[in-house]
Amino acid sequence: MAKERLDVLGEVCPIPLLMTQGVLAKLKNIDVLIVETDSNQAARNIFNWCESCGFKFEIDDLENGIWEITIKKE
Amino acid sequence: MKQGQGKTINKHVLIGPWPYWAGALILGLLNVLLFVIFKKPWGVTSGIAKWGFDLWEGLGGHPESWAYFREINSDILSSHIFFNQANILNMGLVFGVMLAVLLSSHFRIKRLKTRSQLISAIAGGIMMGYGARLAFGCNIGALIGGIASQSLHGWVFGVFLFIGASLGTLFVRYYVLKKRLP
Amino acid sequence: MRKSSQILSIILILLIISGVALGAYFYQKNLPLLWVFGIAIGFVFYRSGICFSTAFSDIVIFRNFRMFRTSLILLLVSFLGFNIVQLYSNISNGSIPGYIFPVGLHTAIGGILFGMGMVLAGACVCGTLQKLSEGFLLFWFVLSGVVIGSLLGAYHYPWWEVSYLSWEPVFLPNIFGWRVSWLLTVIILVGVFGGTFLLERRK
């Protein structure tokens, strides 16, 4: 299983979502993408997108102001 | 720290995320209450215009002679820089957010990452400030406050806001796809 | 953030909140109430994660209207409440409170500039205040931009008003009558609300 990390710390909407979309579209061979963001709105934004696309995903609230979103490509 | 435990979103009311509709409902009711008590809807940018006014005055300018402040926003002229209605509401918002952030231990200093971020932040800020003066308010004052007060300017602002935001998003998307992706 | 420093900062924030409330009370009696309103708004804002710039950008990026509908709920609730206040005020003393301002080409230009600006900056003006207090250093620059921009805007405003089309404030019930205006607004808002579901399905 190919894993990739995407660090969008310090970025605000809509850039985290656009980066996530772009990376997923560009790197076709990865199965799991872990997105790190420190904005709760960006986390919910990516959450909404994953939900509307039907991806499997998990959100970890690391409780220090960082959210880790694990997106699994089917 | 909870790490790698799957979907670990805190469900506690004071700490966890609220559904969007609940937030919208409460904010709407607060807005109505503000209107009932103070006869003035919730507005944000007039408090910030006051800072600009005082800044320019402090630098030696004479903003009190500008038609905008004399005719349209005249209560800015005499109000206290901190203890005025618009500013107290804005500062309350800041401290309310801080309280919420600290309660859920999400506070974290987020540094700047790229230079382009800085440029787009300053450019975006100037455009917002300029636009808000021309249209008499921001999303809250002109869009929500305007349409809810049944003024035509709210509707006009809303339509063109949509156009502007779409153009802006297309630009940001183009930029991200071209420059930022690895 | 460590637990001890977190508790310490909460205590500090509460102290500042009560200090400002006290100061505001001596300055003007109704300010503390406004202060409480602001704190409540900020708290709800952060907890619910509402962001108006996302409402528009999500539509363009992946045709998601969730946040847009959230803004419509906020708008509809405010409208229904405002309408009662305006009607009551109109009957009792003939005045109509509210944000009723001139409309013209400057409103359109302002809307476009504001829309582009909020997507570029990543938040609208109240979002800027919110993200600033979340710890985003970037938004200090956005805020200074807003201060400069509003100075420029205020300085240029007479030019826009004189040179370009600008009409007196239009209060819709004065044109359509209270009932029709109320009905039209509700129909449009609810219609747009329902229409977003159709647009979302046809992806």
Side-chain angles (χ1 to χ4, degrees), chain A residues 9-15 17-18 21 38-41 44-45 47-53 63-64 67, chain C residues 1 45-51 53-54 57-58 61-62 64 66 119 121-122 130-131 134 136 138-139 203:
Chain A
L9 298 177
E11 307 268 12
V12 284
C13 306
I15 291 178
L17 174 62
L18 286 169
Q21 279 183 328
D38 50 12
S39 146
N40 77 325
Q41 290 169 331
R44 289 182 90 170
N45 198 209
F47 172 104
N48 282 343
W49 177 68
C50 291
E51 215 172 49
S52 82
C53 287
E63 297 212 328
N64 54 358
W67 285 261
Chain C
M1 211 172 186
F45 226 117
Y46 181 74
R47 277 281 82 88
S48 55
I50 290 175
C51 171
S53 108
T54 317
S57 62
D58 275 0
I61 295 175
F62 65 113
N64 184 293
R66 209 180 245 182
V119 176
Q130 180 199 328
K131 284 179 177 158
E134 267 175 54
F136 274 104
L138 181 69
F139 281 89
K203 196 153 33 179

Side-chain angles (χ1 to χ4, degrees), chain A residues 9-62:
Chain A
L9 298 177
E11 307 268 12
V12 284
C13 306
I15 291 178
L17 174 62
L18 286 169
M19 299 268 280
T20 309
Q21 279 183 328
V23 168
L24 278 179
K26 221 168 192 176
L27 305 174
K28 290 239 162 51
N29 54 349
I30 53 164
D31 307 299
V32 178
L33 179 70
I34 301 170
V35 185
E36 270 183 298
T37 176
D38 50 12
S39 146
N40 77 325
Q41 290 169 331
R44 289 182 90 170
N45 198 209
I46 296 173
F47 172 104
N48 282 343
W49 177 68
C50 291
E51 215 172 49
S52 82
C53 287
F55 288 135
K56 270 194 178 164
F57 64 97
E58 283 167 357
I59 293 189
D60 256 340
D61 179 351
L62 299 188

Side-chain angles (χ1 to χ4, degrees), chain C residues 3 7 38 64 70 81 91 104 107 117 121 127 156:
Chain C
K3 210 80 197 165
I7 292 170
N64 184 293
T70 307
I91 292 168
T107 317
H156 284 167

Side-chain angles (χ1 to χ4, degrees), chain B residues 11-153:
Chain B
K11 287 279 183 338
H12 194 281
V13 173
L14 283 179
I15 296 175
W18 293 1
Y20 291 141
W21 62 265
L25 202 66
I26 299 172
L27 287 179
L29 291 174
L30 285 173
N31 196 5
V32 172
L33 268 178
L34 267 178
F35 194 45
V36 171
I37 299 171
F38 295 97
K39 293 279 173 282
K40 232 176 156 186
W42 174 21
V44 181
T45 38
S46 58
I48 291 171
K50 169 71 181 161
W51 296 351
F53 180 88
D54 280 16
L55 178 78
W56 191 240
E57 209 175 35
L59 289 175
H62 294 283
E64 68 277 359
S65 62
W66 298 359
Y68 183 86
F69 290 121
R70 265 189 293 124
E71 287 156 22
I72 296 155
N73 226 335
S74 56
D75 42 342
I76 275 183
L77 293 170
S78 55
S79 61
H80 187 276
I81 183 164
F82 189 83
F83 293 118
N84 66 68
Q85 294 200 346
N87 192 52
I88 281 289
L89 200 58
N90 284 349
M91 289 295 108
L93 196 153
V94 166
F95 277 90
V97 172
M98 271 190 194
L99 203 62
V101 174
L102 285 172
L103 275 176
S104 53
S105 64
H106 285 155
F107 187 81
R108 185 169 177 275
I109 295 288
K110 293 131 185 172
R111 287 173 209 289
L112 270 70
K113 216 174 173 187
T114 57
R115 194 183 297 151
S116 61
Q117 222 182 359
L118 183 68
I119 296 167
S120 91
I122 295 176
I126 292 178
M127 283 161 87
M128 278 201 287
Y130 197 88
R133 282 310 100 218
L134 291 192
F136 299 97
C138 58
N139 279 333
I140 307 293
L143 186 67
I144 310 279
I147 294 182
S149 318
Q150 301 199 63
S151 170
L152 184 62
H153 87 287

Side-chain angles (χ1 to χ4, degrees), chain C residues 97-140:
Chain C
Y99 282 164
I100 301 155
F101 290 122
V103 59
L105 187 64
H106 54 88
T107 317
I109 305 272
I112 289 183
L113 278 177
F114 195 90
M116 288 169 81
M118 76 180 177
V119 176
L120 282 182
C124 70
V125 178
C126 50
T128 300
L129 291 175
Q130 180 199 328
K131 284 179 177 158
L132 197 102
S133 29
E134 267 175 54
F136 274 104
L137 296 182
L138 181 69
F139 281 89
W140 288 98

Side-chain angles (χ1 to χ4, degrees), chain B residues 155, chain C residues 65 68-69 72-73 75-76 182-200:
Chain B
W155 289 101
Chain C
F65 290 82
F68 187 75
R69 280 195 293 268
L72 280 177
I73 296 175
L75 187 49
L76 191 65
W182 187 89
L183 211 63
L184 270 178
T185 312
V186 170
I187 286 174
I188 293 175
L189 290 181
V190 174
V192 172
F193 191 91
T196 57
F197 285 106
L198 292 178
L199 286 171
E200 243 171 25

